Amino acid sequence: MGARSTWTLEREQKLLAALYGATFDAGALTEDVKAAVVAEMNSDDSNANWDQIRHLNDKMARWEDIRDDLIDAIINVHGSFTKEEQVVITQMMNDRGHNMVWNAIR
């Protein structure tokens, strides 16, 4: 658990956004996943149910509508990428079926 102390709220929010995006894009919000989310939310007596959780989307922008702006904002805030980050990003894109090199990304 010692490594957890290095996580900031910002990093946790970024992770949450990434997990939500991947889950949504994969169509992975199965009934079992929904039940697990509700169970985790209720682990501290929150008294949540899926209907309450799903209505959070009514108040939030849809992922498809904000994805490009969010990526642009992250890139602008992050600034330039190190060589190591460039390699990781390029590899992730190639792993997802996009045959490209860093110069095509930047």
Side-chain angles (χ1 to χ4, degrees), residues 57-70:
N57 289 333
D58 296 343
K59 299 172 187 160
M60 295 173 34
R62 291 178 347 139
W63 176 249
E64 298 88 0
D65 295 338
I66 67 165
R67 180 179 13 222
D68 292 341
D69 290 334
L70 178 60

Side-chain angles (χ1 to χ4, degrees), residues 21-74:
T23 303
F24 182 84
D25 290 346
L29 285 175
T30 65
E31 293 304 315
D32 288 341
V33 170
K34 292 174 187 178
V37 169
V38 170
E40 181 62 29
M41 292 296 296
N42 289 330
S43 67
D44 66 352
D45 298 323
S46 294
N47 198 27
N49 62 54
W50 184 254
D51 205 41
Q52 293 167 329
I53 294 168
R54 77 176 178 86
H55 282 296
L56 292 175
N57 289 333
D58 296 343
K59 299 172 187 160
M60 295 173 34
R62 291 178 347 139
W63 176 249
E64 298 88 0
D65 295 338
I66 67 165
R67 180 179 13 222
D68 292 341
D69 290 334
L70 178 60
I71 291 169
D72 187 47
I74 291 169

